[in-house]
Amino acid sequence: MSSNITHISSNDITIEGWLRKKGSLFSWRTYFVSVDANRFLSYYIKASGGRLAGRVKLTRKCKVVLDPRKENGFVLFADLGRTLKFAADSKSDVVLWKEIIESACLYDESPPGEKKIDTGKDARTSAAAALQRAHRRLRGTSVKKRFFQQSSSSLSTSTETKRQESSEIKPDDETTEKTETTIKKRTTQNVTTQKKNKKAFADFFL
């Protein structure tokens, strides 16, 4: 599946693309979403430059988590108790969105006099590291998938080999069974013949 991310940068921690956003009740609508260099997450009815539908300031108080109830979904817990639910079209896209938003939230927004939590440089480094982690996860998933396919192929080959060996052994078993039956039959015939000879010999002398 092709990505719906139209722009992504770890240098200024920005990302743009199409996401589905949950509205009232169970309705979902597609928006053009962007995280800009000023740490605003904005969503538009159309592409960038279209009518603005909503905007959220990303601060270190925000939190992003994956949504277990929605495939490829994530939830943004923003200031003032706002909760926004989004969904991407693929697992790779949702990982990148989550990592970039988390890095943007780490950008220094500390009030004057408060100890700084992160600097712009550190936030950019965090974003770059986030992208690397996302790519590693995707590569790991691909490797696991290939390993599973190879294991399944090996298992199928092993099963087929055993089936062939079993079919090769079967004629030998049938031959052995036929041989045993023939021996038993001949033994029975010999015993019967001996009994007849003994009876004829006894009748001769009577």
Side-chain angles (χ1 to χ4, degrees):
M1 181 179 293
S2 60
S3 173
N4 279 326
I5 295 177
T6 59
H7 164 79
I8 185 170
S9 172
S10 60
N11 292 326
D12 52 5
I13 320 175
T14 58
I15 186 172
E16 293 180 348
W18 296 94
L19 290 174
R20 296 187 305 280
K21 178 182 176 296
K22 186 176 181 181
S24 58
L25 298 178
F26 302 101
S27 63
W28 288 81
R29 183 172 181 178
T30 301
Y31 292 93
F32 185 83
V33 184
S34 70
V35 174
D36 59 36
N38 294 320
R39 312 303 162 229
F40 279 102
L41 183 147
S42 308
Y43 47 100
Y44 303 84
I45 301 297
K46 296 182 179 180
S48 182
R51 184 168 66 87
L52 179 66
R55 174 172 289 176
V56 175
K57 179 66 175 178
L58 298 177
T59 70
R60 57 191 176 88
K61 295 181 180 180
C62 297
K63 183 178 180 181
V64 188
V65 298
L66 295 178
D67 189 350
R69 298 183 179 181
K70 181 67 175 178
E71 183 179 7
N72 301 325
F74 65 92
V75 182
L76 171 62
F77 296 97
D79 287 343
L80 305 177
R82 293 189 63 184
T83 301
L84 293 85
K85 294 186 177 182
F86 295 95
D89 284 342
S90 66
K91 184 177 181 180
S92 58
D93 278 8
V94 73
V95 169
L96 293 174
W97 275 101
K98 180 176 181 294
E99 297 288 2
I100 287 294
I101 294 174
E102 285 180 338
S103 298
C105 292
L106 289 175
Y107 191 79
D108 184 25
E109 292 292 341
S110 304
E114 185 175 334
K115 182 179 179 180
K116 293 183 179 297
I117 301 299
D118 203 353
T119 64
K121 181 179 179 181
D122 291 337
R124 289 191 292 273
T125 302
S126 299
L131 290 178
Q132 292 178 357
R133 288 197 301 272
H135 290 309
R136 283 199 298 269
R137 289 175 186 172
L138 296 177
R139 286 199 299 270
T141 301
S142 178
V143 170
K144 290 179 181 178
K145 183 177 180 180
R146 289 198 299 271
F147 176 76
F148 177 77
Q149 291 174 343
Q150 292 173 357
S151 300
S152 300
S153 177
S154 300
L155 180 60
S156 300
T157 303
S158 177
T159 303
E160 182 64 25
T161 302
K162 290 182 179 179
R163 187 181 296 109
Q164 291 177 356
E165 291 176 350
S166 177
S167 62
E168 291 174 357
I169 293 174
K170 188 174 182 181
D172 294 339
D173 293 340
E174 292 178 351
T175 302
T176 302
E177 184 177 353
K178 290 180 180 179
T179 302
E180 292 178 352
T181 303
T182 302
I183 293 174
K184 290 181 180 179
K185 184 176 181 180
R186 289 180 180 177
T187 301
T188 302
Q189 290 175 348
N190 290 337
V191 172
T192 302
T193 302
Q194 289 177 2
K195 288 182 178 180
K196 288 181 179 180
N197 291 338
K198 287 182 180 180
K199 183 178 181 182
F201 182 77
D203 291 341
F204 178 78
F205 287 99
L206 289 177

